[in-house]
């Protein structure tokens, strides 16, 4: 990891993914610099989620190369574990373990670093718990640490999701439609935390979103994805109506207004 | 160690902030509460240990006796060899009867258990009294073993497979009804609410919002009970309720070890085949 701390954090070349005869990603090339916040824009089914899941290999790509910190990603178990723990992910439906307390949910972010035996007995040191509390503090959720996750509102659950990802000490954060299930006010709060993590902690963020107005509020660099192909990659200022038509396929008033 | 390495990473060094985090961590319970919790846990452990010890002494659980009995068991098994293969021809009829008992015992169990399960599910029962009554009936059916039911029905309708079917049906109804009710209680309430909002009535809600959600669970339970029924049907013959069990008990009583062996082999085969077919079928349906 030391030698590779220069250069792009993520390089994707010729990435393809087929589900049977359905093509989800055709030919995706994308490079992310360290500390960037990239908004990936596209309507539902464009391949945004598949792209993210190819990056952390929740989905196995059909073809193409992905390099993270200069190292090619493989399916080898040991390599994969070391690699996944440096990539945090937050989900549209939060994916917390609803019956566990908030603190334990955040502690699960550490599992990629922990040997199996102590973790299956749920043994965590005081420092580890303190770290989990600190991650919760960053999203202003420390006061709910001992409540069960299913007692929280949607916005609160997503903040715990962010804390869980932070506890991985990630270099890269994948946020897959993190605010699609939240109302606009709460969505802006959650996006604010993500932006803060990017700016203050220097964590590179890939953010999937389908609403253009959120993208305009948060983003610098926008990547537009349509039908598994990148149709736009550039600064937010170049995001014209013409470009949006290319991303959303001609019916902007239906698809990208909130 | 790696785990402590990550714990220290980015962990704040500002003492005030750190103190606040620690305070937060300790706010889960006060020391007094923690000691009380530990005391309760210890007491529970002691009680469980005492109960286990006392029951073991009372029921003569003894490893020594089991070890001393091993030669006798080995002797019993040795006498079973070779199994009386020729006897298997005579067992064909009773084997088929065993399967037939299991089929009808399960089907009737489903027919009886389904209404009881629907009425005994807290979230859709028409009335709490009906709920309580169904739960009571289910408990009673489940509480009585199929062998006891079989004894009662043998004296009522005479020897043969029919009392065995009735016995299995009642016990299965008790089991399945409880499973059904619990599956219904665990459904996602969203669709029920949506259909209520359209003005749908009780039966319509069951058909459109509940049955589709619970069908896979019901299929699994029914097949599981069929497997169990095959097993149960092999012993119903012990009390004269038909099937292969009658041949098992008579060969054991006549000390015909080689015949016992072949009956046991057939029973095990029956259970293995049912389990295999059940797994295949379930994978295909669900």
């Amino acid at each position: 990891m030391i030698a590779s701390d220069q250069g792009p954090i993520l390089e994707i070349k010729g990435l393809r993914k087929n589900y049977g005869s359905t093509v989800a990603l055709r030919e995706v090339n994308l490079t992310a610099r360290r500390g960037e916040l990239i908004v990936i824009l596209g309507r539902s089914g464009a391949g945004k989620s598949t792209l993210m899941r190819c990056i952390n290999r929740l989905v196995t790509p059909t073809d193409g190369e992905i390099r993270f910190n200069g190292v090619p990603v493989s399916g080898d178990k040991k390599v994969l574990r070391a690699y996944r723990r440096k990539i945090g992910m937050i989900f549209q439906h939060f994916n917390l373990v609803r019956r566990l307390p908030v603190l334990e949910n955040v502690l699960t972010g550490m599992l990629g670093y922990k040997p199996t035996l102590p973790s299956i007995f749920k043994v965590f040191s005081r420092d580890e718990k303190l770290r989990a509390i600190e991650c919760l503090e960053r999203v202003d959720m420390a006061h709910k640490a001992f409540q069960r996750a299913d007692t929280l509102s949607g916005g609160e659950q997503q903040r715990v999701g962010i804390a869980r990802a932070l506890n991985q000490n990630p270099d890269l954060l994948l946020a897959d439609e993190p605010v699609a299930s939240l109302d606009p006010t709460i969505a802006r709060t959650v996006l604010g935390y993500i932006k803060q993590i990017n700016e203050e902690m220097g964590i590179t963020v890939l953010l999937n979103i389908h609403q253009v107005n959120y993208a305009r509020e948060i983003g610098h660099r926008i990547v537009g994805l349509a039908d598994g192909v990148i149709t736009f990659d550039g600064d937010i200022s170049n995001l014209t109506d013409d470009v949006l038509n290319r991303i959303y396929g001609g019916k902007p008033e239906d698809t990208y207004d909130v | 160690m790696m785990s402590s390495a990550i714990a220290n990473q980015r962990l704040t060094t500002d003492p005030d902030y750190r103190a606040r985090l620690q305070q937060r961590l300790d706010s889960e319970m006060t020391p007094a509460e923690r000691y009380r919790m530990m005391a309760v846990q210890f007491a529970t452990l002691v009680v469980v240990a005492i109960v286990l010890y006392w029951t073991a002494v009372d029921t003569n659980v003894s490893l020594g006796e089991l070890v001393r009995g091993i030669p006798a068991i080995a002797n019993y098994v040795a006498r079973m060899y070779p199994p009386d293969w020729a006897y298997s021809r005579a067992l064909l009829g009773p084997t088929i009867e065993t399967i037939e008992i299991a089929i009808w015992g399960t089907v009737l169990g489903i027919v009886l258990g389904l209404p009881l399960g629907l009425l005994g599910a807290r979230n859709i029962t028409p009335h709490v009294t009906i709920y309580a009554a169904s739960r009571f009936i289910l408990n009673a059916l489940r509480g009585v073993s199929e062998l006891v039911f079989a004894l009662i029905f043998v004296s009522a309708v005479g020897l043969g497979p029919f009392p065995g079917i009735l016995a299995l049906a009642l016990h299965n109804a008790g089991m399945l009804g409880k499973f059904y009710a619990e599956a219904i209680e665990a459904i996602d309430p969203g669709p029920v609410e949506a259909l209520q909002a359209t003005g749908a009535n009780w039966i319509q809600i069951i058909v459109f919002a509940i049955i589709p959600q619970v069908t896979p669970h019901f299929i699994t339970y029914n097949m599981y009970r069929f497997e169990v029924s095959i097993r149960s049907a092999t012993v119903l013959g012990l009390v004269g309720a038909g099937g292969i069990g009658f041949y098992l008990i008579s060969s054991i009583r006549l000390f015909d070890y080689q015949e016992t062996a072949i009956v046991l082999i057939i029973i095990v085969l029956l259970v293995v085949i049912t389990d295999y077919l059940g797994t295949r079928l379930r994978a295909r349906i669900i």
Side-chain angles (χ1 to χ4, degrees), chain A residues 202-228:
Chain A
I203 295 172
T204 312
V205 176
L206 292 191
L207 175 64
N208 276 352
I209 257 185
H210 67 270
Q211 297 105 322
V212 176
N213 51 354
Y214 289 155
R216 284 196 201 281
E217 284 167 35
I218 194 176
H220 306 285
R221 178 174 167 199
I222 306 280
V223 169
L225 201 63
D227 277 335

Side-chain angles (χ1 to χ4, degrees), chain A residues 85 103 113-114 126-131 133-134 137 142-143 146 167-169 201 203, chain B residues 1-4 6-12 17-18 20-22 24-28:
Chain A
R85 66 182 172 218
L103 188 71
Y113 294 91
K114 297 270 292 177
R126 191 170 165 79
D127 268 357
E128 287 170 333
K129 287 183 191 167
L130 266 180
R131 190 186 143 76
I133 292 270
E134 189 184 359
E137 191 75 54
H143 58 296
F146 304 108
N167 202 11
Q168 288 177 238
N169 191 22
M201 301 174 79
I203 295 172
Chain B
M1 211 166 66
M2 213 150 207
S3 50
S4 56
I6 185 175
N8 291 327
Q9 249 162 2
R10 285 207 201 124
L11 194 59
T12 179
Y17 185 55
R18 207 183 144 90
R20 222 175 81 217
L21 293 178
Q22 294 200 352
R24 198 64 99 176
L25 192 57
D26 293 331
S27 71
E28 186 180 13

Side-chain angles (χ1 to χ4, degrees), chain A residues 96-110:
Chain A
L96 299 182
V97 185
R98 298 170 57 88
R99 293 191 64 259
L100 288 183
V102 165
L103 188 71
E104 281 191 31
N105 268 288
V106 178
L107 285 168
T108 61
M110 256 177 216

